[in-house]
Amino acid sequence: MFLPREELQCGVFDSSVLRGNKVKSAGRRVVNFELELFHREGGVSHVGDGTYPARRGMLLCAKPGQTRYSDFPVRCSYIRIQPRKDSEIDALLAAAPDCLYIKDEGIVEELMALFTKLCSVLIGAAPERAVPNGIRSNGILLDILYRLQRLWQGSGDVAAKTPIHRIAADAYEYFNEHYAEDCSLKTVAAALHVSPNYLHSVFLREVGVTPFAYVTDKRVRRAKRLIAAGEKSMLEIAMETGFCSQSHFNKVFREATGQTPAAYRRRLLEQY
């Protein structure tokens, strides 16, 4: 089936560039089929009732009518395809799982190259103009979809990902909202009505890091943004990001970044 170029969109989304200091995207209802191939670990995508921690090689396929949003940071290549009634492409994408993790790095690299090639053709920047761009873009898209279909059918190179465990998802939301407050394992476990040991094991299994490491990363990331803004003292930043003292802030920040908060600020000023 031939798709006009106006029915296709593609590119690279990087929340650190396009969303600045925002920590999540607004919830929205999906209109097109949305394919996203993630470049790196970081952030979490919420599609329908599923919650999916980002990993390099994570492939999302959101369908029209689903609701979705993302917790940043996120970087991914994307393709948007307008639905067409009774099309084979619609049927393929509608039946695809919302999320899969591609294990084979070679396959990830090949797909990323094809996503990039499709984007180059659609914006008219690709060479070899002997073939009309509309035909070339459809050819690349069909190549991508053929590869994805094989993966979705279970070639052994993909691990299907079911939605994250509800306890881990609830803890994730709690940490995102309260990371600057008391986020001890005991406190969060009590709020979720589970034991600390159970919360720790489920969160580590589902998200890939311990609750302590996740909260620390959130605090350090927020501290970096406040340091870059240059409007608050280090003590104010320490208190605002949940550290018990400036010395504790200095210690954790240095362990995470290899430099003290003051040195980090000096480096930013020197770059400016």
Side-chain angles (χ1 to χ4, degrees):
M1 171 174 286
F2 184 85
L3 291 179
R5 292 175 65 187
E6 60 269 18
E7 295 187 13
L8 290 175
Q9 299 176 19
C10 65
V12 173
F13 176 78
D14 190 329
S15 63
S16 63
V17 175
L18 298 174
R19 294 294 185 269
N21 292 333
K22 291 185 177 180
V23 298
K24 67 170 57 181
S25 64
R28 61 183 175 84
R29 193 172 184 84
V30 177
V31 176
N32 301 314
F33 289 103
E34 301 182 358
L35 292 169
E36 295 180 356
L37 183 60
F38 285 70
H39 295 198
R40 63 193 181 204
E41 185 172 349
V44 173
S45 288
H46 306 262
V47 180
D49 295 328
T51 301
Y52 307 101
R55 302 282 187 274
R56 177 172 171 80
M58 183 174 85
L59 177 69
L60 289 185
C61 182
K63 290 88 172 172
Q66 290 181 314
T67 56
R68 64 169 308 192
Y69 69 95
S70 297
D71 300 307
F72 299 148
V74 165
R75 180 179 171 83
C76 64
S77 296
Y78 68 84
I79 299 173
R80 305 284 186 267
I81 303 173
Q82 289 185 21
R84 286 181 150 200
K85 187 176 181 180
D86 299 327
S87 81
E88 292 182 34
I89 291 178
D90 285 13
L92 171 65
L93 296 176
D98 290 347
C99 179
L100 297 99
Y101 291 108
I102 304 175
K103 297 177 179 178
D104 190 315
E105 178 61 24
I107 294 176
V108 174
E109 289 288 346
E110 290 175 359
L111 284 173
M112 286 190 176
L114 286 171
F115 274 59
T116 300
K117 186 175 182 181
L118 177 61
C119 187
S120 296
V121 170
L122 288 176
I123 65 175
E128 304 173 9
R129 298 295 184 81
V131 179
N133 275 2
I135 296 176
R136 295 185 62 224
S137 63
N138 275 258
I140 298 167
L141 176 64
L142 291 176
D143 189 4
I144 292 171
L145 293 177
Y146 172 72
R147 292 168 186 253
L148 295 185
Q149 182 181 35
R150 294 182 62 190
L151 296 176
W152 288 329
Q153 288 175 342
S155 66
D157 295 319
V158 168
K161 184 66 175 181
T162 56
I164 191 172
H165 193 287
R166 190 68 256 165
I167 294 298
D170 289 344
Y172 185 89
E173 292 295 332
Y174 187 98
F175 291 141
N176 283 342
E177 294 178 8
H178 303 285
Y179 68 89
E181 305 167 18
D182 177 13
C183 279
S184 67
L185 199 60
K186 183 177 180 180
T187 298
V188 181
L192 300 181
H193 308 292
V194 297
S195 72
N197 287 341
Y198 181 69
L199 173 60
H200 183 278
S201 64
V202 170
F203 194 88
L204 176 60
R205 183 185 71 229
E206 298 291 321
V207 181
V209 297
T210 65
F212 176 80
Y214 183 78
V215 171
T216 298
D217 181 69
K218 289 284 293 183
R219 289 173 173 174
V220 170
R221 287 179 183 273
R222 176 60 178 166
K224 284 182 176 180
R225 291 195 290 268
L226 293 173
I227 291 171
E231 298 176 352
K232 299 185 178 183
S233 69
M234 293 303 179
L235 178 58
E236 289 174 321
I237 293 173
M239 296 298 100
E240 184 170 327
T241 51
F243 294 98
C244 58
S245 66
Q246 186 173 344
S247 61
H248 182 225
F249 171 47
N250 290 342
K251 178 178 181 295
V252 173
F253 193 93
R254 185 167 187 171
E255 289 174 349
T257 67
Q259 55 192 326
T260 64
Y264 181 78
R265 173 170 281 174
R266 284 197 300 272
R267 184 173 66 83
L268 292 177
L269 292 173
E270 289 169 359
Q271 290 176 345
Y272 180 77

